[in-house]
Amino acid sequence: MTARRPAEGSGGLLVGVSEGTGEARVRLPQLRLDELLEELQARLDAARGTRDRVHSLLEAVLSVGRELDLEQALHSIVEAAAALVDAQYAALGVIGPDGKRLSAFHTVGVSDEQIARIGPYPEGHGILGELIHHPQPLRLARLSEHSASYGFPPHHPPMNTFLGVPIRVREQVFGNLYLTEKRGGVQFDEEDEAVLSTLAVAAGVAIDNARLYEDSRLRERWLRANAEITHRLMSGGAQAEVLRLIADRARENTGAALALVAMPMQGTDSLGVELALGKDAQAHQGLVLPVDGSLMGHAFTTGSPVTCVDVSVDERVAVAPERFAGLGPAVAVPIGSGAEGVRGVVLLVREAGRTVFTDKEIEPLRGFAAQAAVAMELAERRQDAEEIAVLKDRDRIARDLHDLAIQRLFATGMTLQSAGRLIEHAEASERVVRAVDDLDETIKIIRSTIFGLRSREGGAGSGLRARAVRVIGEAATVLGFAPSIRMEGLVDTDVPREIADDVVAVLSEALTNVARHARAGRADVVLETDGREVRLTVTDDGVGIAAGGRRSGLRNLAERAERYGGTLTVDRPETGGARLVWQVPVGD
């Protein structure tokens, strides 16, 4: 049987019936069926991959959008970016207020141990800075081949492939996403760039929402704190109590690790730290700072807030800068301004690595500082009113003593003196004369008391605090450097005048000895009292006291202490130099 011709329109397919069996036979001479099936499978896999990636992107957008805490939102964005493009390392760099460097850096893929070995976070140089200056997506096959690259710091993991995209919040660049080392050793492609750019748009919206939420909560905290302080002021709270509340709430609302309140010391050009709260507060309590050249002094003299990027290395921290170890950004805000003048300074310091204080954060601080000025004004007015009431009461007592008591005593004395002439008994007459003399002496005592009631003690700068600061200032010219001084307790009220005179003399003698014999480059003075005793400690980093040396000056200081039942000790600290401790009781 002859085979049929191919049917028209069969596309080249040869269809026929095999001889003897009658079964249809199909021949495919030019189509590669296996290749078609593989291509179809590949396209199906690609479609599934695209579907899965779109689902992952949607999940990432939803996950990022749910976060209202800004720090957690940033961390979620970095994690989502790394997962979407299958990168081993990811980071989000937040651009600082100056728009030139990074103020924060959030990473994924690098352990805490690696971060500690690498050192400080980058500031935005090299490739990172390239995206800051040119906020456009950047994709590189090899980081080292880019002209802006200049290598990695020691202990940094190797990185080759790179993909970076900017994050914009309300048309302003907030920061950049940096992805490196796509897993499997492949390059980042256009699809990775598109996915990451889409995530960056969602991240910008999430960051904006988190910022708005954070701002609203911050405003709520400031309003609550203002209401609390106003209530405390109106209820007649003491100045120290209100200042502590203001410093504590300012520290909480700004995320500061340390808060200091310094006040001007009468009769001196110095500020005394009256209040310290937070990290290592004891090291700052009672410190005396110069107005000229110091961070807080600058805010005091200008009447404007002063910021600092890193307080631990700022040259305006002249007194014991090591006390700020582990701390970083700081802001000093004056208390009060205008016609009333600046009454003090509030210093807030964050931990190292935290963001610097922005204008948006400083503005409510100025309002808080104004609250502090009101607190001080009310306390001073209340104190003045109390003092006027006391003085009026003293005047009344003095007037009553003068007009009533003295006149009656004088009249009684005159009567006794007249009656004495009529007494013939010698012994009785002598007793009357002695009584008249006693009345005269009593009148003198009362007049002296009246004079004391009407006189006011001392003046500005006559207290022990001011006198000690003046001694420090005078010693600086001889020493060649300014000693640091810290004062704690009510040294002006708890230390009697005669003991205060000896404290000043001992301090002057001790600093003179340091200048003459110690060859020191630093001296620290601590003056403190707890109401029971006063203690003066002078420490230097010099050569120490030589064995067998002259001790005449020290004997003089010891005699001054023994006069009040106190002691003088001199030893050598572990850090070297010498330490003098002079202490005497002041309580009952």
Side-chain angles (χ1 to χ4, degrees):
M1 185 176 181
T2 304
R4 296 179 182 176
R5 291 183 179 179
E8 293 183 2
S10 62
L13 293 176
L14 298 180
V15 181
V17 179
S18 60
E19 295 181 1
T21 60
E23 295 180 357
R25 185 163 49 94
V26 179
R27 291 181 296 170
L28 302 173
Q30 74 273 16
L31 293 183
R32 295 169 293 181
L33 185 57
D34 291 341
E35 292 181 4
L36 288 173
L37 291 174
E38 289 177 0
E39 182 180 352
L40 179 60
Q41 184 64 42
R43 291 187 178 185
L44 288 173
D45 292 341
R48 290 193 188 98
T50 302
R51 181 199 62 188
D52 295 341
R53 201 163 198 184
V54 170
H55 286 171
S56 298
L57 178 59
L58 290 174
E59 289 177 1
V61 169
L62 292 174
S63 175
V64 168
R66 280 195 297 264
E67 293 293 345
L68 291 177
D69 180 78
L70 182 58
E71 291 296 315
Q72 187 59 41
L74 296 178
H75 189 71
S76 297
I77 292 168
V78 181
E79 289 183 332
L84 284 173
V85 299
D86 202 19
Q88 184 176 355
Y89 305 107
L92 194 159
V94 180
I95 300 176
D98 59 359
K100 299 178 180 179
R101 65 183 65 191
L102 300 177
S103 61
F105 204 69
H106 303 266
T107 62
V108 168
V110 184
S111 65
D112 293 338
E113 292 76 10
Q114 287 177 301
I115 293 173
R117 288 197 300 270
I118 294 171
Y121 281 120
E123 295 184 355
H125 304 296
I127 296 295
L128 304 186
E130 184 70 15
L131 263 75
I132 296 176
H133 303 304
H134 304 93
Q136 298 295 331
L138 178 63
R139 184 158 42 94
L140 301 173
R142 187 172 292 275
L143 275 168
S144 58
E145 295 178 354
H146 195 278
S147 59
S149 176
Y150 61 86
F152 297 106
H155 309 293
H156 196 285
M159 296 180 181
N160 292 303
T161 55
F162 175 84
L163 175 60
V165 296
I167 297 176
R168 288 181 169 84
V169 177
R170 299 192 179 187
E171 303 305 321
Q172 292 186 345
V173 179
F174 172 83
N176 297 300
L177 277 171
Y178 307 107
L179 287 301
T180 61
E181 292 300 291
K182 187 175 177 68
R183 299 182 190 277
V186 296
Q187 305 292 327
F188 292 107
D189 55 23
E190 293 181 358
E191 188 175 343
D192 293 327
E193 182 179 321
V195 168
L196 203 60
S197 298
T198 304
L199 178 66
V201 174
V205 175
I207 291 170
D208 191 29
N209 289 338
R211 275 180 161 180
L212 292 173
Y213 179 72
E214 189 176 82
D215 290 346
S216 66
R217 290 190 63 189
L218 184 60
R219 283 194 297 270
E220 181 183 350
R221 289 198 298 268
W222 282 120
L223 288 173
R224 189 163 54 245
N226 276 322
E228 185 180 4
I229 291 168
T230 301
H231 173 73
R232 192 69 59 89
L233 286 171
M234 299 305 293
S235 61
Q239 174 178 321
E241 179 185 355
V242 176
L243 286 179
R244 175 174 289 275
L245 180 61
I246 289 173
D248 194 41
R249 294 297 178 268
R251 183 172 64 93
E252 290 178 358
N253 290 348
T254 59
L258 176 68
L260 306 179
V261 178
M263 311 296 293
M265 302 182 65
Q266 290 185 341
T268 70
D269 293 327
S270 303
L271 297 173
V273 178
E274 300 287 343
L275 180 64
L277 300 174
K279 180 180 173 63
D280 298 329
Q282 192 60 33
H284 303 266
Q285 185 74 41
L287 276 172
V288 177
L289 311 173
V291 171
D292 295 334
S294 67
L295 183 66
M296 300 182 80
H298 189 190
F300 181 78
T301 54
T302 61
S304 302
V306 179
T307 58
C308 170
V309 176
D310 189 351
V311 72
S312 63
V313 296
D314 196 296
E315 61 183 7
R316 292 171 294 183
V317 180
V319 179
E322 66 277 3
R323 71 187 189 275
F324 288 109
L327 299 175
V331 60
V333 182
I335 300 175
S337 61
E340 295 80 9
V342 179
R343 296 175 173 272
V345 179
V346 177
L347 178 70
L348 296 169
V349 190
R350 286 175 174 157
E351 292 181 341
R354 296 287 305 278
T355 57
V356 298
F357 287 88
T358 62
D359 293 340
K360 187 170 66 174
E361 292 177 304
I362 294 174
E363 192 58 35
L365 282 176
R366 299 185 69 149
F368 238 46
Q371 289 266 15
V374 173
M376 296 172 62
E377 179 71 20
L378 289 176
E380 289 179 1
R381 295 292 176 86
R382 198 176 295 121
Q383 184 178 356
D384 289 344
E386 292 173 356
E387 187 174 350
I388 290 173
V390 170
L391 292 176
K392 286 183 176 179
D393 200 35
R394 286 182 175 183
D395 285 341
R396 180 186 60 77
I397 294 172
R399 187 171 55 253
D400 290 345
L401 287 174
H402 182 272
D403 295 343
L404 300 176
I406 289 182
Q407 297 301 328
R408 287 193 176 189
L409 288 173
F410 186 77
T412 302
M414 293 290 292
T415 302
L416 289 174
Q417 195 172 24
S418 300
R421 299 191 185 96
L422 303 175
I423 299 175
E424 297 180 356
H425 194 281
E427 184 176 351
S429 177
E430 183 180 351
R431 289 185 178 182
V432 170
V433 171
R434 283 202 305 269
V436 172
D437 292 340
D438 290 341
L439 287 174
D440 287 340
E441 189 64 29
T442 302
I443 291 172
K444 291 178 181 179
I445 293 174
I446 293 176
R447 282 176 173 169
S448 177
T449 302
I450 292 172
F451 179 79
L453 288 172
R454 287 177 171 172
S455 64
R456 302 185 65 176
E457 295 183 358
S462 62
L464 179 54
R465 284 178 178 267
R467 296 172 67 190
V469 172
R470 282 197 292 270
V471 171
I472 293 291
E474 294 168 358
T477 58
V478 181
L479 290 166
F481 59 86
S484 72
I485 180 171
R486 180 162 58 90
M487 289 182 273
E488 295 185 23
L490 304 175
V491 296
D492 282 340
T493 56
D494 286 348
V495 182
R497 179 75 184 190
E498 61 274 12
I499 297 180
D501 293 340
D502 279 312
V503 170
V504 173
V506 170
L507 175 59
S508 179
E509 180 70 19
L511 293 176
T512 301
N513 289 339
V514 172
R516 289 178 179 175
H517 311 296
R519 299 200 295 275
R522 173 178 173 176
D524 300 313
V525 177
V526 178
L527 176 59
E528 53 192 339
T529 180
D530 57 2
R532 295 186 297 272
E533 68 175 12
V534 60
R535 182 185 301 106
L536 174 67
T537 305
V538 180
T539 309
D540 66 73
D541 62 352
V543 298
I545 299 177
R550 294 182 59 187
R551 302 277 178 141
S552 57
L554 294 180
R555 282 198 299 271
N556 181 32
L557 302 184
E559 290 174 358
R560 288 180 179 272
E562 292 168 358
R563 186 186 310 163
Y564 303 104
T567 59
L568 171 72
T569 58
V570 180
D571 59 11
R572 184 179 182 87
E574 295 180 358
T575 55
R579 176 172 53 207
L580 178 148
V581 180
W582 189 90
Q583 56 187 21
V584 299
V586 295
D588 295 334

